Amino acid sequence: MSYVQEVMETVVKRNPNEPEFHQAVQEVLESLEPVLEKHPEYRTAGILERIVEPERQIIFRVPWVDDNGKVQVNRGMRIQFNSAIGPYKGGLRLHPTVYPGIIKFLGFEQIFKNSLTGLPIGGAKGGCDFDPKGKSDAEVMRFCQSFMTELYRHIGADIDVPAGDIGVGGREIGFMYGQYKRITTLYEGVLTGKGLNWGGSLARTEATGYGLVYLTDEMIKAKGKSFKDATVVISGSGNVAIYATQKVQQLGGKVVALNDSNGYIYDKDGINLDTVKRIKEVERGRIKDYVKVHPTAEYFEGTGIWKIKCDVALPCATQNELDEEDAKALVANGCFAVAEGANMPSTPEAVKVFQANKVMFAPGKAANAGGVATSALEMSQNSMRYSWTFEEVDAKLKDIMVNIYKNASAAAREYGYEDNLVVGANIAGFLKVADSMLAQGIV
Ligand code: NDP
Ligand code: 2IT
């Protein structure tokens, strides 16, 4: 049995019933085969056995009282995966589907993503099975305060710095920051995605979506394509989808569809982003409300967004939202590039379809790294007690995304996988972490 197979077996055995985690590990380990062959020292030092096992997993009770006076209990967690290259860093997800298998897959991906940014941040993820939908601001605040009342003892500006993910935006970060400060008396950069008046970075809100489009632009330019006049389909309508749409529009592309977990909108004239921002960022409403304002647009209940004809597809909602059938539909409709704003949105079968049909493909850990990269820039600004302008942060973000593309492409080429950014991103992200682990001994 190969080294990779051996480690994979242990992962499945030790983490039963966690298919998303198995999927993320399988993809990374497979693409490391050529590296492991060239560098037997990684096996000798047990790098794979160690990298697939989180350094620390914290699971805790989150009790809170709803607006009817009823006691509610959720399960919170933080999985601190790897601190070889810096303090733990990664988002918090609030969604009813959260369980350790989801947080482990996200935390594992985060190790390599964070390494690709070139900045000194380790990998972690956390979250809770709390559903923010339909909750009042007061309920969200009581939940966030209770969540932080346990989490605070495990984090710190130089220990572990959480941020947003699905269901966690500026409002939630604010409530959590307030509670952290109240308990510890520390005014420090313990969370990123903070408000601009209290330590947040300009361009962090836009960063994941903008970064996704910067990297995609670089990838398609290399093959003589551009966003100018391209038709683009984007899934989701949250933070990542909104700012990806904005950047595509700035580059002259036309975004014709967006969705949420209920259904999708198709606007042949191009999405009006002001309407989407009002519905999603202000009213916290549903995407179907869009057609009330734009009656020439159409709303379709359920899935099906990938059946729309487009040149570029940017999945920005959630894991495994784009399957083999969707990938075939995109190929049949002439789509030439797919880049993942979400974490692991394409199933392994879908990725195979893209690669077999020479569709340019950028995996999430490269394409959506702009969010966490800008979080690391927020940490730097907090340490300096200084803030950069929007233009300064945006320029750094762009530079980081271009470098991620170049480094992943170069790693793919070096190991004989020209144009395979899945392999390239995994190898480039892995090497820096693995060499740091080697240098730091068996820990
Ligand atoms: P938001 O909560 O702002 O938005 C999530 C969007 O995805 C919503 O439109 C939501 O619809 C939709 N969605 C969520 N779950 C599902 C589901 N099970 N089925 C269908 N649609 C769903 O989150 P973000 O925009 O921040 O995150 C989107 C993705 O990007 C996630 O995969 C996240 O891990 C990833 N990401 C986020 C980063 C960030 O900085 N925020 C950085 C890097 C990656 P609904 O409202 O109906 O639930
Ligand atoms: O998946 C991700 O990279 C994020 N949700 C952002 C994490 C961060 O620390 O900004």
Side-chain angles (χ1 to χ4, degrees), residues 78 89-93 106 110 113-114 121 124-125 161-166 192-193 204 208 341-343 368-376:
R78 183 75 179 165
K89 180 85 197 86
L92 295 169
R93 177 175 293 192
L106 291 163
Q110 204 81 44
K113 182 197 303 191
N114 292 4
I121 39 179
K125 203 83 186 191
V161 182
D165 193 77
I166 291 177
T192 58
R204 174 62 188 90
T208 310
N343 286 303
N368 70 38
V372 75
T374 307
S375 279

Side-chain angles (χ1 to χ4, degrees), residues 209-221 225-232 234 243-255 273 312 314 394 398 402:
Y210 277 23
L212 167 67
V213 178
Y214 291 147
L215 183 133
T216 309
D217 193 39
E218 201 62 22
M219 173 176 80
I220 65 180
K221 266 195 327 215
K225 304 273 191 186
S226 93
F227 272 109
K228 182 97 185 63
D229 299 324
T231 299
V232 182
I234 300 183
Y243 293 96
T245 301
Q246 188 165 83
K247 187 51 74 179
V248 167
Q249 292 178 342
Q250 286 172 7
L251 298 183
K254 182 154 89 171
V255 178
L273 197 58
V312 179
L314 304 176
D394 190 38
K398 193 165 184 181
V402 169

Side-chain angles (χ1 to χ4, degrees), residues 137 171-172 278-286:
D137 285 350
R171 175 181 62 171
E172 293 73 21
R278 180 175 51 73
I279 295 170
K280 289 294 173 182
E281 294 183 338
V282 183
E283 297 165 0
R284 298 182 187 274
R286 306 312 302 161

